[in-house]
Amino acid sequence: MGLSTQDSGLKDMDRAKERRISRDRIRERIRRTVTGTAERPRLAVKKSLKHIYVQLIDDAAGKTIAAASSRDKDAGIKGGSNQAAAKAVGALIAKKAKDKGVTNVVFDRGGYQYHGNIKALADAARENGLKF
């Protein structure tokens, strides 16, 4: 008596739901300690299966200072969710931050592992002048 395909699908959904809940817990734990100010905004990262997004946020004022993503036309990115795209987005947010007069930031990895695309984005931002 094996599992039917319907039962198997439910098992996969439960696993995906558990992953999402686990990442949400990690993100909440990070956000308790990482807050952005006007002098040192929070560099928040969000990634989906197709794109990567990043924002500079002043949590004290509740304002977004700058944002960049792999969907931006000025980023010049073909594929949106690979390391090349992450590097381009990191360089773009660093340029936008410099234009706004921001050099120091607090990095909020958004519950993702500091690995792969997240690391590539952070390294590119550092290489282009952001300090965190």
Side-chain angles (χ1 to χ4, degrees):
M1 298 202 64
L3 291 173
S4 71
T5 57
Q6 187 177 13
D7 292 338
S8 174
L10 288 175
K11 193 180 251 187
D12 289 340
M13 264 200 311
D14 289 344
R15 205 173 310 135
K17 188 175 181 181
E18 285 175 21
R19 261 196 313 267
R20 191 179 67 243
I21 290 169
S22 175
R23 196 177 70 77
D24 286 344
R25 269 195 223 116
I26 293 167
R27 183 173 49 228
E28 288 171 9
R29 192 167 55 234
I30 291 168
R31 286 286 291 120
R32 274 187 236 135
T33 58
V34 176
T35 56
T37 62
E39 300 82 37
R40 197 164 176 197
R42 177 168 54 100
L43 183 69
V45 177
K46 166 75 172 104
K47 90 182 168 164
S48 69
L49 292 175
K50 289 187 174 185
H51 297 285
I52 189 159
Y53 308 87
V54 65
Q55 292 181 322
L56 283 174
I57 303 169
D58 177 3
D59 289 314
K63 303 261 185 197
T64 298
I65 298 168
S69 75
S70 58
R71 297 181 67 189
D72 289 350
K73 301 291 183 216
D74 53 346
I77 302 165
K78 283 279 192 214
S81 184
N82 53 21
Q83 284 194 11
K87 287 178 184 177
V89 171
L92 184 62
I93 194 68
K95 179 183 173 294
K96 287 183 177 184
K98 276 197 250 177
D99 293 344
K100 299 279 184 169
V102 175
T103 55
N104 292 326
V105 296
V106 180
F107 190 63
D108 177 8
R109 59 189 173 87
Y112 304 106
Q113 289 184 351
Y114 187 79
H115 179 271
N117 293 349
I118 303 298
K119 186 174 189 289
L121 185 141
D123 290 342
R126 277 193 194 103
E127 288 169 6
N128 288 283
L130 284 184
K131 295 179 188 144
F132 46 102

